[in-house]
């Protein structure tokens, strides 16, 4: 089963994708993570996208479609969770073509609905474990012991360079201008399901499970 988690930054896409990976053995394809990995490993592409990402703008369709194409070609029986991709209509068309070329299809597009005020609060307090990927928040989900990941004990806790109010404003604008038209696109195709992203994570997970039935 292949699904898209669609929603603005801070909607909880990454958190829910991680649960689906653990519970169902699906594979999370996050173009944001792939781009951050390219930056960390210092590839030419990583260097090229760094400033664009920090500003909160979208990198080119060509780059992200190339990243996804590589992964889809590897194949995976349990299905993919597309997290942060597609973000433009051109990417959505490319994804449909890539899947059909590989004998696969999209089963559901899950829109995670949240209000903007909550997004700012969620994003500006967010940090993650660089080792296991667990997501934390200064107010709503701090680590039990300061500076140490509850799950794996790592002290490599990181904040994203673009998780600040200024970049977030640009990221939200990019979302509304370029990504939100995908809601109408998938609605028209009959693939769109909506969940309440403001609910507690367990409740959101239940709603996603139902949307996937
Ligand atoms: P994310 O981790 O999904 O919030 O993505 C972080 C940043 O990576 C975004 O603000 C963009 O600069 C870039 N990015 C990630 N996915 C895409 C995509 N599908 N299309 C264009 N840019 C992307």
């Amino acid at each position: 089963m292949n699904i898209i988690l669609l929603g603005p930054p801070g909607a909880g896409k990454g958190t829910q994708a991680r649960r689906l990976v653990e519970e169902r053995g699906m594979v999370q394809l996050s173009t944001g993570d792939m781009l951050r990995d390219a930056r960390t490993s210092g590839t030419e592409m990583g260097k090229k996208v760094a400033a664009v990402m920090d500003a909160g703008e979208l990198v080119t369709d060509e780059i992200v479609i190339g990243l996804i194409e590589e992964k889809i070609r590897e194949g995976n029986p349990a299905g993919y969770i597309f997290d942060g991709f597609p973000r433009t209509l051109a990417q959505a068309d490319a994804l449909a073509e890539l899947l059909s070329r590989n004998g696969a299809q999209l089963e559901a597009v899950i829109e995670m609905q949240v209000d903007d005020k909550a997004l700012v609060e969620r994003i500006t307090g967010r940090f993650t474990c660089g080792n296991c990927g667990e997501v934390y928040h200064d107010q709503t989900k701090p680590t039990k012991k300061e500076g140490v990941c509850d799950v794996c004990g790592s002290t490599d806790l990181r904040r994203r360079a673009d998780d600040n109010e200024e970049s977030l404003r640009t990221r939200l604008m990019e979302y509304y201008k370029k990504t939100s038209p995908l809601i109408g696109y998938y609605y028209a195709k009959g693939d769109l399901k909506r969940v309440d992203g403001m609910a507690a994570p367990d409740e959101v997970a239940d709603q996603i499970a139902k949307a996937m039935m």
Side-chain angles (χ1 to χ4, degrees):
M1 179 165 220
N2 299 305
I3 66 161
I4 294 175
L5 294 181
L6 186 64
K13 303 186 294 294
T15 300
Q16 294 298 328
R18 281 169 52 75
R19 292 178 72 129
L20 290 166
V21 169
E22 269 172 35
E23 289 162 15
R24 303 184 186 223
M26 295 172 77
V27 172
Q28 176 187 11
L29 293 184
S30 155
T31 40
D33 285 348
M34 293 177 210
L35 292 166
R36 277 184 289 278
D37 287 347
R39 290 180 65 169
T40 312
S41 49
T43 65
E44 275 313 304
M45 187 268 280
K47 287 182 202 155
K48 208 164 117 188
V49 299
V52 175
M53 289 177 75
D54 287 348
E57 291 161 11
L58 294 190
V59 310
T60 64
D61 288 335
E62 196 190 351
I63 289 179
V64 288
I65 290 167
L67 289 170
I68 290 288
E69 185 170 12
E70 241 174 71
K71 297 285 179 188
I72 290 183
R73 243 194 269 122
E74 290 167 11
N76 150 56
Y80 294 111
I81 308 148
F82 295 97
D83 160 14
F85 179 93
R87 262 178 157 97
T88 63
L89 290 166
Q91 292 177 23
D93 283 335
L95 177 61
E97 206 204 302
L98 282 174
L99 287 172
S100 93
R101 223 190 290 155
N102 288 274
Q105 60 181 30
L106 266 181
E107 270 81 22
V109 177
I110 299 169
E111 184 202 352
M112 303 182 63
Q113 297 185 306
V114 268
D115 62 60
D116 280 4
K117 223 179 101 215
L119 297 178
V120 179
E121 280 159 20
R122 283 185 182 186
I123 292 258
T124 49
R126 171 165 88 170
F127 59 101
T128 56
C129 173
N131 181 49
C132 72
E134 186 70 4
V135 184
Y136 295 96
H137 188 280
D138 292 326
Q139 276 82 43
T140 56
K141 192 187 165 193
T143 53
K144 290 196 181 83
K145 191 168 164 215
E146 205 186 323
V148 182
C149 175
D150 297 350
V151 177
C152 73
S154 168
T155 52
D156 180 14
L157 300 175
R158 303 178 184 177
R159 282 175 204 272
R160 283 171 45 168
D162 59 349
D163 274 354
N164 60 73
E165 274 199 66
E166 200 190 327
S167 299
L168 180 59
R169 254 196 304 276
T170 309
R171 286 157 71 195
L172 280 175
M173 197 54 85
E174 290 283 73
Y175 177 78
Y176 289 116
K177 273 199 303 203
K178 299 175 183 165
T179 308
S180 66
L182 297 184
I183 295 169
Y185 172 97
Y186 287 118
Y187 176 77
K189 282 177 174 262
D191 294 334
L192 193 73
K193 309 272 166 67
R194 293 193 159 107
V195 302
D196 174 13
M198 298 298 293
D202 286 347
E203 167 63 22
V204 180
D206 284 349
Q207 291 186 23
I208 290 177
K210 286 197 189 98
M212 288 172 70
M213 284 201 299

